[in-house]
């Protein structure tokens, strides 16, 4: 991948580049001329398609895939097919683009343990595999990483089809004694910068830019999380975050910012932040914020499931029997969630009530911003804490978006084409000719019920079918 005007821009890669020659061949096929097909040509037949861009579905479609790329989409029986192509009948099933996360983390959690010891290739690759099994084919890790491992893994995932593709932030920039809390994330200085001055902030950006980071991440939050009795953590000084944003933009890097409160969201967007990486959860958004977001063409990622995960398993322990949840759980996490003492402690903590309020406010604000035409992406903060489960969290987020007032297809559009647009990735997020063959085959129709995303028949990434299905039948 390469960066263009602050956005990620795909570079042609072997296995999924849509070459001029391929385009010529597609034109010839459509003209009715038959050519011999390479062994990796597949026609998916009689499938209903949600293409990721429109808010309607297209019944009875054929989708032609070759060399990891979608070559043609048309009414069943109208697509010219080369000899030797494999035919797969998907009658009764629905095809959607692979889900794309604009806000996740990798290498922070293993089981119930959080810390720098988890930043290893096997742990990260296992998480990427789990994302893919849940239909999340592209993941953006927003900080708490380090080079050279993170950069090596990104390049590796760009080139292969095993597990989700990977983009993200080298390290990220927090505050001395503040966010993200050292006692919670337990990562070393090499996984996060904590500048005390504007110059140190600029140096942190320079370091990340030299490492090839895709974005710059800032944490601006006192970490009270709506709990009035909580002691606030120090918040980054404006002159530091302003220096970071200016340096990032000078290097054609966009800045994503962790916030909780509206007052910080307003100040950061006014100062040039490109992505608000969490929803506003303390009060309703107002006209001033909407105007700021639209005038700056800023993006908003609500991550509603972040706060829901705080209480979900303690309040609904029966979820442990959910076959969709089970593939995401380690034995250690099952023991923790099953523990009545843990459940009681979680339910009675002040954070429980505050998290319920945060979810409701986040949903209210998401709907207001959506109706106002603000750019909205998709993410969950999965992988940052043991209960924010890769893949499962993204399925919960879709439900919460629908509960907020979006239709299922509006929610899926955010999680596919809109999430790709936030990242500047024009090669994915839609089922259309020339796009990567990253998609999910569902047993049911998501337009009727968003829970259909749990009924995964197959996941394809780069034209390769992954192991599955998610839930054994």
């Amino acid at each position: 991948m390469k960066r263009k005007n602050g956005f990620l821009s795909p570079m042609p890669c072997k296995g999924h580049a849509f070459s001029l020659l391929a385009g010529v061949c597609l034109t010839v096929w459509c003209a009715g001329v038959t050519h011999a097909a390479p062994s990796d040509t597949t026609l998916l037949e009689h499938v209903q398609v949600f293409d990721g861009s429109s808010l309607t579905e297209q019944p009875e479609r054929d989708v032609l895939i070759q060399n990891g790329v979608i070559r043609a989409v048309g009414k069943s029986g109208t697509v010219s097919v080369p000899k030797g192509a494999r035919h797969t009948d998907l009658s009764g099933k629905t095809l959607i683009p692979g889900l794309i996360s604009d806000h996740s983390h990798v290498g922070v959690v293993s089981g119930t343990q959080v810390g720098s010891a988890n930043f290893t290739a096997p742990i990260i690759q296992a998480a990427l595999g789990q994302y893919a099994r849940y239909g999340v084919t592209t993941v953006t890790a927003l900080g708490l990483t380090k080079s050279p491992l993170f950069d090596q893994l990104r390049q590796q995932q760009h080139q292969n089809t095993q597990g989700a593709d990977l983009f993200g932030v080298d390290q990220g920039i927090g505050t001395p004694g503040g966010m993200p809390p050292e006692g919670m994330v337990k990562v070393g200085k090499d996984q996060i910068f904590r500048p005390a001055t504007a110059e140190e902030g600029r140096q942190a950006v320079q370091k990340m830019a030299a490492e090839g980071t895709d974005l710059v991440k800032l944490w601006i939050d006192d970490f009270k999380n709506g709990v009035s009795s909580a002691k606030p953590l120090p918040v980054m000084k404006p002159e530091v975050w302003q220096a970071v944003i200016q340096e990032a933009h000078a290097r054609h890097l966009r800045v994503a910012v962790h916030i909780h409160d509206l007052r910080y969201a307003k100040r950061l967007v006014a100062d040039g932040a490109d992505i608000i990486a969490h929803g506003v959860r303390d009060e309703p958004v107002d006209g001033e914020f909407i105007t700021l977001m639209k005038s700056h063409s800023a993006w908003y990622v609500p991550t509603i499931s972040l706060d829901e995960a705080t209480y979900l398993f303690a309040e609904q322990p029966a979820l442990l029997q959910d076959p969709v949840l089970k593939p995401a759980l380690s034995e250690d996490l099952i023991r923790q969630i099953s523990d009545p003492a843990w459940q009681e402690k979680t339910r009675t903590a002040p954070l429980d009530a505050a998290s319920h309020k945060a979810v409701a406010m986040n949903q209210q604000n998401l709907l207001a911003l959506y109706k106002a035409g603000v750019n909205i992406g998709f993410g969950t903060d999965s992988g940052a804490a043991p209960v924010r489960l890769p893949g499962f969290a993204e399925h919960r987020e879709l439900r919460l978006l629908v509960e907020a007032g979006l239709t299922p297809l509006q929610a899926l559009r955010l999680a596919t084409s809109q999430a790709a647009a936030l990242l500047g990735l024009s090669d994915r997020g839609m089922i259309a000719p020339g796009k990567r063959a990253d998609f999910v085959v569902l047993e049911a129709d998501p337009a009727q019920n968003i829970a259909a995303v749990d009924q995964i028949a197959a996941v394809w990434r780069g034209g390769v079918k992954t192991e599955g299905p998610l839930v054994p039948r």
Side-chain angles (χ1 to χ4, degrees):
M1 308 302 287
K2 65 179 180 179
R3 196 174 296 106
K4 182 178 181 181
N5 297 326
F7 289 78
L8 301 179
S9 177
M11 295 178 67
C13 295
K14 182 180 179 180
H16 61 259
F18 187 44
S19 67
L20 177 62
L21 176 60
V24 171
C25 290
L26 176 58
T27 302
V28 173
W29 294 339
C30 291
V33 178
T34 300
H35 287 259
S39 59
D40 64 348
T41 301
T42 300
L43 183 73
L44 307 179
E45 299 177 291
H46 306 295
V47 67
Q48 177 170 258
V49 171
F50 169 67
D51 67 10
S53 61
S54 66
L55 294 176
T56 59
E57 294 171 319
Q58 303 164 359
E60 278 293 305
R61 287 311 192 256
D62 288 353
V63 180
L64 184 68
I65 304 160
Q66 187 179 58
N67 295 327
V69 173
I70 298 169
R71 300 301 189 191
V73 180
K75 291 182 180 180
S76 293
T78 67
V79 174
S80 296
V81 186
K83 288 183 179 179
R86 292 186 296 269
H87 291 242
T88 301
D89 189 340
L90 295 181
S91 298
K93 295 179 172 56
T94 299
L95 199 67
I96 67 171
L99 304 180
I100 297 173
S101 172
D102 294 321
H103 188 166
S104 297
H105 292 272
V106 296
V108 178
V109 174
S110 180
T112 59
Q113 302 303 309
V114 179
S116 58
N118 298 323
F119 199 78
T120 67
I123 288 176
I124 294 172
Q125 288 166 336
L128 295 174
Q130 181 166 304
Y131 277 116
R133 288 191 292 276
Y134 278 88
V136 184
T137 54
T138 299
V139 171
T140 311
L142 281 189
L144 304 177
T145 69
K146 60 181 177 179
S147 295
L149 177 58
F150 184 61
D151 301 306
Q152 292 168 351
L153 288 172
R154 276 185 293 167
Q155 294 306 314
Q156 173 181 309
Q157 292 307 112
H158 295 341
Q159 299 298 327
N160 70 35
T161 57
Q162 302 302 308
D165 200 359
L166 181 63
F167 297 88
V169 175
D170 281 290
Q171 294 95 4
I173 301 174
T175 307
M179 283 290 289
E182 295 180 6
M184 183 182 76
V185 297
K186 300 177 182 176
V187 299
K189 294 180 180 179
D190 56 351
Q191 283 181 249
I192 186 169
F193 295 114
R194 296 186 184 272
T197 67
E199 180 56 31
E200 289 177 355
R202 283 189 285 268
Q203 291 172 1
V205 173
Q206 293 163 11
K207 171 69 171 173
M208 286 189 288
E211 293 168 343
T213 191
D214 293 321
L215 299 160
V216 171
K217 169 73 176 291
L218 280 168
W219 282 266
I220 312 294
D221 184 10
D222 65 10
F223 204 56
K224 284 173 65 69
N225 290 321
V227 178
S228 58
S229 60
K231 182 181 178 181
L233 295 180
V235 177
M236 184 179 291
K237 298 175 182 178
E239 59 264 30
V240 178
W241 81 54
Q242 289 163 0
V244 166
I245 293 171
Q246 291 166 7
E247 185 69 24
H249 287 175
R251 295 174 179 275
H252 306 291
L253 291 166
R254 292 180 300 152
V255 180
V257 186
H258 166 116
I259 58 91
H260 182 281
D261 297 348
L262 179 60
R263 69 184 188 277
Y264 288 122
K266 286 182 177 180
R267 295 184 67 180
L268 268 298
V269 174
D271 283 338
D274 304 284
I275 302 164
I276 297 300
H278 292 292
V280 172
R281 290 161 279 168
D282 65 325
E283 59 180 304
V285 295
D286 56 15
E288 178 187 8
F289 181 64
I290 290 172
T291 298
L292 280 167
M293 292 291 292
K294 296 181 74 172
S295 64
H296 286 75
S297 299
W299 284 83
Y300 185 90
V301 185
T303 67
I304 305 168
S305 60
L306 179 158
D307 291 291
E308 187 202 46
T310 301
Y311 57 78
L312 179 65
F313 303 116
E315 296 184 2
Q316 299 184 41
L319 278 172
L320 280 173
Q321 305 309 314
D322 183 351
V324 179
L325 171 62
K326 285 183 177 180
L329 294 174
S330 66
E331 292 183 3
D332 288 345
L333 193 54
I334 290 172
R335 282 192 291 271
Q336 175 179 293
I337 293 173
S338 303
D339 183 1
W342 178 86
Q343 295 170 11
E344 177 68 14
K345 181 180 179 181
T346 302
R347 289 194 304 264
T348 58
L351 185 59
D352 181 274
S355 296
H356 276 279
K357 292 179 180 178
V359 167
M361 184 58 68
N362 204 347
Q363 290 179 311
Q364 175 184 323
N365 287 336
L366 172 277
L367 187 60
L369 293 169
Y370 184 89
K371 289 181 175 179
V374 171
N375 293 324
I376 297 172
F378 180 79
T380 62
D381 207 38
S382 55
V387 292
R388 300 176 199 163
L389 299 164
F392 180 79
E394 284 67 31
H395 286 219
R396 293 298 305 182
E397 186 77 11
L398 288 168
R399 282 177 165 81
L400 292 166
L401 291 171
V402 172
E403 288 178 11
L406 272 58
T407 68
L409 295 187
Q410 286 173 335
L412 280 172
R413 183 171 178 268
L414 296 187
T416 54
S417 63
Q418 285 294 98
L422 181 150
L423 294 172
L425 296 175
S426 61
D427 66 339
R428 67 195 73 193
M430 290 187 283
I431 294 175
K435 304 297 183 182
R436 287 168 54 98
D438 291 358
F439 50 77
V440 185
V441 182
L442 300 177
E443 298 281 3
D445 183 357
Q448 303 302 316
N449 186 343
I450 193 61
V453 297
D454 294 341
Q455 299 183 50
I456 295 176
V459 178
W460 293 60
R461 189 166 94 74
V464 177
K465 188 176 180 181
T466 67
E467 59 183 286
L470 175 66
V471 180
R473 292 188 296 274

